[in-house]
Amino acid sequence: MSESRTPLSLLAYPRPSVAADTAALTVAGDDLMVLVVRRREEHHAGEWALPGTFLRERETLAGAVLRSLRDKAGIEGRVPQQLHVFDDPGRDDRGWTLSVAHVDAVPFRDLETPLQSDDVRLASVTADTDLIAGLPYGHADMVRLAVERLRQDYLQTPDPAGLLPEPFTLKDLRDLHEAVAGRPLMRDTFRRVMEPQLTGTGQMSDGTRGRPSRLWRRRS
């Protein structure tokens, strides 16, 4: 007859704190940028960081992410995607903390109100490398991985995150993809890949930015 065992309480196991951080990316002009917020908490107070928070009791990760974006960056109505779990035991000098990092690509027009705050700004992933490298809690690694994810998404698909208002010209679309990629793209190759995935509107641009060009929409 087997000996019955009393199940161990979960309190018998060591538990890390759990954080949720979000790399919110956007394109402003011809630059790929990430949103950072000024920390109000005592730890690293006044420094820039990704919007993030600790998971509250009985709270979902998705709920924590939306709460941090709302309370720290003034952003609402988004659906960030999980990116990666950062579990280096030394990533947070306050103690053992793992972070479930998230990523979201946000149209610049949706950030105009949040950016009116002095505690919210955009950092260029190419020009503000020192600022990004100095982000606390391993946030620089989160930004790097988020940028890699977004660039991969944009390789073969026209503006999958919907950063560009419709309708648009092929040049508008290529300019956006070049900003995401961080490099020039061959015009003819880009057109061959993207045009079959677009639907023409039958209209032309007004010519205020060069010659009139065909207008397109993304296929649904």
Side-chain angles (χ1 to χ4, degrees), residues 1-212:
M1 184 175 181
S2 62
E3 181 181 353
S4 62
R5 296 182 179 181
T6 302
L8 285 173
S9 167
L10 290 178
L11 296 177
Y13 298 94
R15 294 177 294 172
S17 298
V18 179
D21 299 295
T22 303
L25 302 173
T26 193
V27 169
D30 58 357
D31 210 353
L32 179 61
M33 314 194 83
V34 62
L35 183 140
V36 292
V37 297
R38 198 189 312 271
R39 286 185 54 79
R40 308 186 191 102
E41 293 84 351
E42 180 178 347
H43 197 251
H44 289 289
E47 295 185 18
W48 296 103
L50 297 181
T53 189
F54 284 104
L55 194 66
R56 293 175 176 173
E57 186 173 359
R58 302 297 179 182
E59 184 179 37
T60 65
L61 281 168
V65 167
L66 296 180
R67 173 170 58 82
S68 70
L69 288 175
R70 181 189 67 240
D71 294 349
K72 297 188 177 183
I75 299 174
E76 297 190 77
R78 305 300 307 174
V79 187
Q81 301 298 308
Q82 285 191 21
L83 177 66
H84 186 71
V85 176
F86 289 81
D87 60 356
D88 181 349
R91 59 175 295 276
D92 191 329
D93 54 4
R94 291 170 295 184
W96 183 25
T97 303
L98 63 83
S99 173
V100 183
H102 291 67
V103 60
D104 196 11
V106 186
F108 179 76
R109 58 189 178 275
D110 293 343
L111 297 176
E112 291 179 354
T113 298
L115 289 171
Q116 293 176 10
S117 169
D118 292 337
D119 293 327
V120 180
R121 62 162 291 184
L122 294 175
S124 165
V125 302
T126 56
D128 294 320
T129 53
D130 289 344
L131 185 153
I132 292 174
L135 296 177
Y137 314 127
H139 286 183
D141 291 331
M142 299 179 192
V143 173
R144 175 186 54 78
L145 197 61
V147 169
E148 290 177 0
R149 169 78 67 84
L150 188 68
R151 286 175 171 168
Q152 186 66 34
D153 290 345
Y154 271 70
L155 281 178
Q156 301 292 328
T157 305
D159 188 21
L163 298 178
L164 190 64
E166 295 180 319
F168 46 76
T169 67
L170 272 175
K171 185 180 185 307
D172 292 334
L173 185 65
R174 191 175 82 251
D175 287 347
L176 175 74
H177 278 248
E178 288 181 338
V180 171
R183 59 182 176 84
L185 302 174
M186 295 184 64
R187 183 179 62 181
D188 292 342
T189 301
F190 181 82
R191 186 186 70 249
R192 285 197 299 270
V193 172
M194 298 298 171
E195 192 169 305
Q197 303 179 69
L198 301 172
T199 299
T201 65
Q203 299 176 322
M204 304 289 286
S205 65
D206 57 16
T208 56
R209 296 180 57 194
R211 294 186 304 175

